[in-house]
Amino acid sequence: MMMMSMFARGARLSRASRVLAAGRQMHASAQSLASSGDGNDDVLNGPRESMDYDVVIVGAGPAGLAAGIQLRQRAAQTGKELSVCIVEKGSEVGAHILSGNVFETRALDALLPDWKERGAPLDTPVTEDQFLVLPDTKSSYAIPNALLPPQLHNDGNYIISLSKLVRWLAEQAEELGVEIFPGFSAAEVLYGEDGGVKGIATRDMGIEKDGTPKPTFERGMELRARQTLFAEGCRGSCSEEVMKKFDLRKDAQPQTYGLGVKEVWEVPEGMARPGFVQHTLGWNGDHFRYRPDWPCDAFAQALRQPANEVWHPVKHRDCVAAALDPGSRAAANLEASVRYMYG
C-alpha cells in the first residue's frame, strides 16, 4: 500500500515537473521579449501550457477537498481511473482560512469514517455552552441551557482550527491521488465550442501596475477538464461569471449575503478554558467565541453595521473583556458569507 502510494505520488510529481520545465522554457522566451521592450502584446497573449483532467476543482477549502476525496473514493470503488486536480490561490492549503471553528462531525463521519485513526486534528470536545442575551450596551443575562432548542447545543461537537483541518484533508486527498496546486488562482473560465465550461486558466504572474510584463513574467496555465467544480466560496469571481453567463439565478429568489469579522487572540495559558463556547444575541448583533486546547480565544460576529460601530464595543463588554485582558490579537479576518434568510 505504501509502495503504491509512493509510486502514485512520484508519477504526479514527474508530470508536474514536465509542465514546470515547459513553463520555464516559455518564461525564458517571455523574459527575452519583455526585457527588450518589444512584443508586449505577444508576451501577454502568448500560448499557455495546458494539462487535461477529468475533474478540476477551484478552491482547496473544506468543500473542494471533500469533493476531491469522494471522487477518488468512488473511482476506486468502481475500478475506474479518474484524474482530479484542485487549484488553491493561497500560498499553501489553509493559508486563507482563519483558525477557529465549532465543528460537527456528521459530514466527516460520512466522508472518512476512520478519521480518528487517521489523526484528524479534532482534539477538543465542547464541554460547556453559554448563551447570553445583550439587551443594551452594558448588561447581559444567560439563558439556561435547558431552555435552548437542540440545534443550539454543541454536545458531541469539537473546537478546532479550521486551517489545520483543511491541511489534514489535503493530505488525505493527496494520498488518494488528488493533485493539489497551491499558489495558483483561477483567473479565467474556459469555454468549449459548444459553449460549455471546459476548465479554467490560472492567473498570469509578473505584471507591472501599468499592465506591461515584468522580466519575471510567466503566462498562466490552462487546466482543461470534462467537469469543473467551483468551490471558491461566497462571491467567487469565476462562480459569479458562470452564474451570469448561464443565467443560473433566473426564477430564483435573490441571494442575500452577510459580512462577518473574526479575530484570534493569544491569552495567558492559565486563562484558557478548553471546551468553552459562548454565543450572544441582542444589542449590536450576534457573536460567539470558543476556546481550543491551545492558549487562544477565537471570536466571530455577523455585522449589521460598520465594524468600528459594532465590533470594537463588543470587545469592551465585561463578558468578553475579562477573557481578553491581558491578551493580544494574533489574527483577524473580514469575509462575506451566504445568508439563508432575509434580514
Side-chain angles (χ1 to χ4, degrees):
M1 181 73 175
M2 179 63 71
M3 183 64 70
M4 288 293 291
S5 177
M6 292 175 63
F7 176 79
R9 184 173 180 85
R12 293 197 303 275
L13 290 174
S14 175
R15 183 184 187 190
S17 297
R18 291 197 301 271
V19 173
L20 289 174
R24 282 193 292 269
Q25 184 176 1
M26 292 180 63
H27 166 62
S29 300
Q31 186 177 20
S32 175
L33 284 169
S35 61
S36 68
D38 299 326
N40 283 343
D41 288 342
D42 294 337
V43 173
L44 293 171
N45 299 311
R48 291 183 287 215
E49 284 295 313
S50 65
M51 296 177 70
D52 294 323
Y53 292 91
D54 292 310
V55 182
V56 167
I57 300 172
V58 180
L65 290 167
I69 289 171
Q70 190 161 84
L71 285 169
R72 290 292 298 179
Q73 287 174 333
R74 294 192 176 188
Q77 291 169 0
T78 58
K80 296 180 180 179
E81 183 55 39
L82 188 76
S83 57
V84 181
C85 165
I86 302 178
V87 293
E88 165 58 34
K89 63 182 178 182
S91 58
E92 61 179 357
V93 175
H96 287 183
I97 297 181
L98 188 63
S99 296
N101 184 262
V102 179
F103 186 77
E104 184 181 340
T105 65
R106 281 187 297 175
L108 189 58
D109 292 337
L111 183 68
L112 296 167
D114 59 342
W115 56 265
K116 290 184 179 179
E117 292 75 12
R118 291 171 176 261
L122 278 66
D123 304 314
T124 308
V126 175
T127 57
E128 182 181 0
D129 271 316
Q130 185 182 62
F131 198 101
L132 299 178
V133 176
L134 312 178
D136 51 43
T137 60
K138 294 183 179 180
S139 60
S140 65
Y141 61 89
I143 298 179
N145 286 355
L147 300 180
L148 296 174
Q151 57 267 33
L152 292 181
H153 289 267
N154 285 297
D155 299 333
N157 295 344
Y158 290 81
I159 300 172
I160 68 167
S161 163
L162 194 57
S163 58
K164 286 184 179 180
L165 179 65
V166 296
R167 284 195 287 269
W168 177 82
L169 285 173
E171 294 173 0
Q172 310 311 305
E174 288 188 319
E175 286 183 8
L176 289 169
V178 178
E179 298 183 31
I180 303 176
F181 296 137
F184 293 90
S185 60
E188 179 184 342
V189 180
L190 303 178
Y191 300 97
E193 294 181 358
D194 60 354
V197 175
K198 298 300 180 183
I200 58 98
T202 63
R203 190 176 303 279
D204 295 341
M205 294 184 288
I207 300 178
E208 298 281 7
K209 292 182 179 180
D210 62 1
T212 58
K214 296 180 180 180
T216 56
F217 174 80
E218 291 187 31
R219 194 80 165 96
M221 182 181 297
E222 291 187 1
L223 300 176
R224 302 169 182 168
R226 294 164 52 201
Q227 298 290 333
T228 305
L229 174 62
F230 297 99
E232 53 186 343
C234 175
R235 301 288 293 176
S237 57
C238 291
S239 302
E240 290 294 315
E241 176 188 330
V242 170
M243 284 192 287
K244 183 177 181 180
K245 179 178 177 63
F246 296 106
D247 200 14
L248 299 180
R249 299 297 306 175
K250 183 180 179 180
D251 300 326
Q253 292 184 342
Q255 178 65 64
T256 57
Y257 300 92
L259 189 64
V261 62
K262 181 178 289 186
E263 292 185 2
V264 176
W265 280 64
E266 293 186 36
V267 297
E269 190 167 356
M271 294 176 59
R273 293 168 60 185
F276 174 71
V277 178
Q278 181 187 77
H279 295 262
T280 71
L281 174 69
W283 185 85
N284 71 14
D286 313 332
H287 87 275
F288 58 90
R289 66 187 181 95
Y290 30 84
R291 296 275 192 162
D293 58 350
W294 65 95
C296 289
D297 208 336
F299 288 80
Q301 179 170 5
L303 299 181
R304 294 174 183 162
Q305 304 171 45
N308 62 331
E309 298 178 11
V310 178
W311 184 236
H312 298 298
V314 166
K315 294 187 289 185
H316 289 283
R317 282 182 169 274
D318 292 342
C319 60
V320 175
L324 297 181
D325 190 27
S328 60
R329 186 174 64 187
N333 188 30
L334 185 69
E335 60 184 21
S337 61
V338 174
R339 296 179 65 93
Y340 296 99
M341 59 184 292
Y342 290 102

Short mmCIF file of all heavy atoms in Angstrom, two decimals, residues 124-125 127-130 159 267-278 289-297 319 323:
data_model
loop_
_atom_site.label_atom_id
_atom_site.label_comp_id
_atom_site.label_asym_id
_atom_site.label_seq_id
_atom_site.Cartn_x
_atom_site.Cartn_y
_atom_site.Cartn_z
N THR A 124 -10.37 18.79 20.87
CA THR A 124 -11.01 19.47 22.00
C THR A 124 -12.53 19.39 21.89
O THR A 124 -13.15 20.18 21.17
CB THR A 124 -10.58 20.95 22.06
OG1 THR A 124 -9.17 21.03 22.02
CG2 THR A 124 -11.10 21.60 23.33
N PRO A 125 -13.16 18.44 22.57
CA PRO A 125 -14.63 18.39 22.54
C PRO A 125 -15.23 19.56 23.32
O PRO A 125 -14.63 20.06 24.27
CB PRO A 125 -14.94 17.06 23.22
CG PRO A 125 -13.76 16.77 24.07
CD PRO A 125 -12.57 17.35 23.36
N THR A 127 -17.24 21.21 26.01
CA THR A 127 -17.63 20.77 27.35
C THR A 127 -18.59 21.74 28.03
O THR A 127 -19.23 21.37 29.02
CB THR A 127 -16.39 20.60 28.23
OG1 THR A 127 -15.67 21.84 28.28
CG2 THR A 127 -15.48 19.51 27.69
N GLU A 128 -18.69 22.97 27.50
CA GLU A 128 -19.54 23.96 28.16
C GLU A 128 -20.09 24.94 27.14
O GLU A 128 -19.35 25.49 26.32
CB GLU A 128 -18.73 24.71 29.22
CG GLU A 128 -19.54 25.73 30.00
CD GLU A 128 -18.72 26.47 31.04
OE1 GLU A 128 -17.50 26.18 31.14
OE2 GLU A 128 -19.28 27.33 31.74
N ASP A 129 -21.40 25.15 27.18
CA ASP A 129 -22.09 26.12 26.33
C ASP A 129 -22.63 27.25 27.19
O ASP A 129 -23.14 27.01 28.29
CB ASP A 129 -23.27 25.47 25.60
CG ASP A 129 -22.88 24.88 24.26
OD1 ASP A 129 -22.14 25.53 23.52
OD2 ASP A 129 -23.33 23.76 23.97
N GLN A 130 -22.55 28.47 26.67
CA GLN A 130 -23.17 29.61 27.35
C GLN A 130 -23.86 30.47 26.32
O GLN A 130 -23.27 30.83 25.30
CB GLN A 130 -22.12 30.44 28.11
CG GLN A 130 -22.73 31.56 28.95
CD GLN A 130 -21.67 32.39 29.65
OE1 GLN A 130 -20.83 33.01 28.99
NE2 GLN A 130 -21.69 32.39 30.98
N ILE A 159 -14.07 21.83 19.16
CA ILE A 159 -13.48 23.13 18.87
C ILE A 159 -12.17 22.87 18.15
O ILE A 159 -11.29 22.18 18.68
CB ILE A 159 -13.24 23.94 20.16
CG1 ILE A 159 -14.57 24.17 20.89
CG2 ILE A 159 -12.57 25.26 19.84
CD1 ILE A 159 -14.41 24.80 22.25
N VAL A 267 -3.96 34.45 24.66
CA VAL A 267 -4.19 34.79 26.06
C VAL A 267 -3.26 33.96 26.93
O VAL A 267 -2.79 32.89 26.52
CB VAL A 267 -5.66 34.53 26.46
CG1 VAL A 267 -6.60 35.40 25.65
CG2 VAL A 267 -6.03 33.06 26.27
N PRO A 268 -2.95 34.43 28.14
CA PRO A 268 -2.11 33.64 29.05
C PRO A 268 -2.69 32.25 29.26
O PRO A 268 -3.92 32.07 29.35
CB PRO A 268 -2.13 34.47 30.34
CG PRO A 268 -2.37 35.86 29.89
CD PRO A 268 -3.29 35.75 28.71
N GLU A 269 -1.83 31.27 29.32
CA GLU A 269 -2.26 29.88 29.35
C GLU A 269 -3.18 29.60 30.54
O GLU A 269 -4.12 28.81 30.44
CB GLU A 269 -1.04 28.96 29.40
CG GLU A 269 -1.39 27.51 29.18
CD GLU A 269 -0.17 26.66 28.93
OE1 GLU A 269 0.94 27.23 28.84
OE2 GLU A 269 -0.31 25.44 28.82
N GLY A 270 -2.96 30.22 31.65
CA GLY A 270 -3.78 29.97 32.83
C GLY A 270 -5.21 30.45 32.69
O GLY A 270 -6.09 30.03 33.44
N MET A 271 -5.45 31.36 31.70
CA MET A 271 -6.80 31.89 31.50
C MET A 271 -7.65 31.01 30.58
O MET A 271 -8.85 31.22 30.47
CB MET A 271 -6.72 33.30 30.90
CG MET A 271 -6.10 34.34 31.82
SD MET A 271 -5.96 35.93 30.97
CE MET A 271 -7.67 36.26 30.53
N ALA A 272 -7.04 30.06 29.93
CA ALA A 272 -7.75 29.25 28.94
C ALA A 272 -8.77 28.34 29.62
O ALA A 272 -8.55 27.81 30.70
CB ALA A 272 -6.77 28.42 28.13
N ARG A 273 -9.92 28.18 28.95
CA ARG A 273 -10.96 27.24 29.38
C ARG A 273 -11.27 26.33 28.19
O ARG A 273 -12.24 26.55 27.46
CB ARG A 273 -12.21 27.97 29.83
CG ARG A 273 -12.04 28.78 31.09
CD ARG A 273 -13.23 29.71 31.32
NE ARG A 273 -14.50 28.99 31.45
CZ ARG A 273 -15.68 29.62 31.56
NH1 ARG A 273 -15.74 30.94 31.50
NH2 ARG A 273 -16.79 28.91 31.69
N PRO A 274 -10.43 25.31 27.95
CA PRO A 274 -10.65 24.44 26.79
C PRO A 274 -12.06 23.85 26.80
O PRO A 274 -12.54 23.37 27.83
CB PRO A 274 -9.59 23.35 26.96
CG PRO A 274 -8.52 24.00 27.78
CD PRO A 274 -9.24 24.92 28.72
N GLY A 275 -12.71 23.91 25.64
CA GLY A 275 -14.03 23.34 25.51
C GLY A 275 -15.18 24.29 25.76
O GLY A 275 -16.34 23.90 25.64
N PHE A 276 -14.88 25.57 26.04
CA PHE A 276 -15.92 26.55 26.36
C PHE A 276 -16.38 27.28 25.10
O PHE A 276 -15.57 27.75 24.31
CB PHE A 276 -15.38 27.56 27.36
CG PHE A 276 -16.32 28.69 27.65
CD1 PHE A 276 -17.48 28.48 28.38
CD2 PHE A 276 -16.06 29.97 27.18
CE1 PHE A 276 -18.35 29.53 28.65
CE2 PHE A 276 -16.93 31.03 27.44
CZ PHE A 276 -18.07 30.80 28.18
N VAL A 277 -17.72 27.36 24.90
CA VAL A 277 -18.30 28.06 23.76
C VAL A 277 -19.32 29.06 24.29
O VAL A 277 -20.16 28.72 25.12
CB VAL A 277 -19.00 27.09 22.78
CG1 VAL A 277 -19.64 27.87 21.63
CG2 VAL A 277 -18.03 26.07 22.25
N GLN A 278 -19.25 30.30 23.79
CA GLN A 278 -20.18 31.35 24.21
C GLN A 278 -20.85 31.97 22.99
O GLN A 278 -20.17 32.33 22.03
CB GLN A 278 -19.45 32.44 24.99
CG GLN A 278 -20.35 33.56 25.50
CD GLN A 278 -19.55 34.69 26.11
OE1 GLN A 278 -18.96 35.50 25.39
NE2 GLN A 278 -19.51 34.73 27.43
N ARG A 289 -17.76 33.01 20.75
CA ARG A 289 -16.34 32.78 21.00
C ARG A 289 -16.16 31.37 21.52
O ARG A 289 -17.09 30.77 22.06
CB ARG A 289 -15.75 33.80 21.98
CG ARG A 289 -16.26 33.74 23.39
CD ARG A 289 -15.71 34.93 24.20
NE ARG A 289 -16.14 34.93 25.57
CZ ARG A 289 -15.45 34.43 26.57
NH1 ARG A 289 -14.30 33.84 26.34
NH2 ARG A 289 -15.90 34.48 27.81
N TYR A 290 -14.98 30.83 21.33
CA TYR A 290 -14.74 29.45 21.73
C TYR A 290 -13.28 29.28 22.09
O TYR A 290 -12.40 29.97 21.60
CB TYR A 290 -15.13 28.48 20.61
CG TYR A 290 -14.97 29.02 19.23
CD1 TYR A 290 -13.75 28.99 18.58
CD2 TYR A 290 -16.06 29.60 18.57
CE1 TYR A 290 -13.62 29.50 17.30
CE2 TYR A 290 -15.93 30.11 17.29
CZ TYR A 290 -14.69 30.07 16.67
OH TYR A 290 -14.57 30.59 15.41
N ARG A 291 -13.03 28.31 22.95
CA ARG A 291 -11.69 28.06 23.48
C ARG A 291 -11.16 26.73 22.96
O ARG A 291 -11.69 25.67 23.31
CB ARG A 291 -11.74 27.99 25.01
CG ARG A 291 -12.15 29.28 25.68
CD ARG A 291 -10.96 30.19 25.86
NE ARG A 291 -11.31 31.29 26.76
CZ ARG A 291 -10.43 32.05 27.37
NH1 ARG A 291 -9.15 31.85 27.18
NH2 ARG A 291 -10.81 33.03 28.15
N PRO A 292 -10.12 26.75 22.16
CA PRO A 292 -9.49 25.50 21.75
C PRO A 292 -8.54 25.02 22.85
O PRO A 292 -8.52 25.55 23.95
CB PRO A 292 -8.74 25.89 20.48
CG PRO A 292 -8.44 27.34 20.68
CD PRO A 292 -9.55 27.92 21.51
N ASP A 293 -7.71 24.02 22.51
CA ASP A 293 -6.82 23.47 23.53
C ASP A 293 -5.45 24.14 23.53
O ASP A 293 -4.56 23.71 24.23
CB ASP A 293 -6.64 21.96 23.32
CG ASP A 293 -6.08 21.63 21.94
OD1 ASP A 293 -6.02 22.55 21.10
OD2 ASP A 293 -5.72 20.47 21.70
N TRP A 294 -5.26 25.19 22.69
CA TRP A 294 -4.03 25.95 22.77
C TRP A 294 -4.38 27.32 23.36
O TRP A 294 -5.54 27.69 23.44
CB TRP A 294 -3.36 26.07 21.40
CG TRP A 294 -4.12 26.84 20.37
CD1 TRP A 294 -3.96 28.14 20.06
CD2 TRP A 294 -5.16 26.35 19.51
NE1 TRP A 294 -4.83 28.51 19.06
CE2 TRP A 294 -5.56 27.44 18.71
CE3 TRP A 294 -5.76 25.10 19.34
CZ2 TRP A 294 -6.56 27.30 17.75
CZ3 TRP A 294 -6.76 24.99 18.39
CH2 TRP A 294 -7.14 26.07 17.61
N PRO A 295 -3.37 28.11 23.82
CA PRO A 295 -3.69 29.36 24.53
C PRO A 295 -4.20 30.46 23.60
O PRO A 295 -3.53 31.45 23.33
CB PRO A 295 -2.36 29.75 25.17
CG PRO A 295 -1.33 29.13 24.31
CD PRO A 295 -1.93 27.83 23.83
N CYS A 296 -5.39 30.25 23.07
CA CYS A 296 -6.02 31.24 22.18
C CYS A 296 -7.49 31.35 22.52
O CYS A 296 -8.08 30.46 23.14
CB CYS A 296 -5.86 30.85 20.71
SG CYS A 296 -4.20 31.01 20.06
N ASP A 297 -8.08 32.44 22.10
CA ASP A 297 -9.52 32.64 22.24
C ASP A 297 -10.00 33.19 20.91
O ASP A 297 -9.45 34.16 20.40
CB ASP A 297 -9.81 33.65 23.36
CG ASP A 297 -11.16 33.40 23.99
OD1 ASP A 297 -12.02 32.81 23.31
OD2 ASP A 297 -11.35 33.79 25.14
N CYS A 319 -18.42 40.68 29.74
CA CYS A 319 -18.43 39.24 29.48
C CYS A 319 -17.38 38.83 28.45
O CYS A 319 -17.06 37.64 28.33
CB CYS A 319 -19.82 38.80 29.01
SG CYS A 319 -20.40 39.61 27.50
N ALA A 323 -12.13 37.93 29.29
CA ALA A 323 -11.45 36.81 28.66
C ALA A 323 -10.25 37.24 27.83
O ALA A 323 -9.38 36.44 27.52
CB ALA A 323 -12.43 36.04 27.78
#
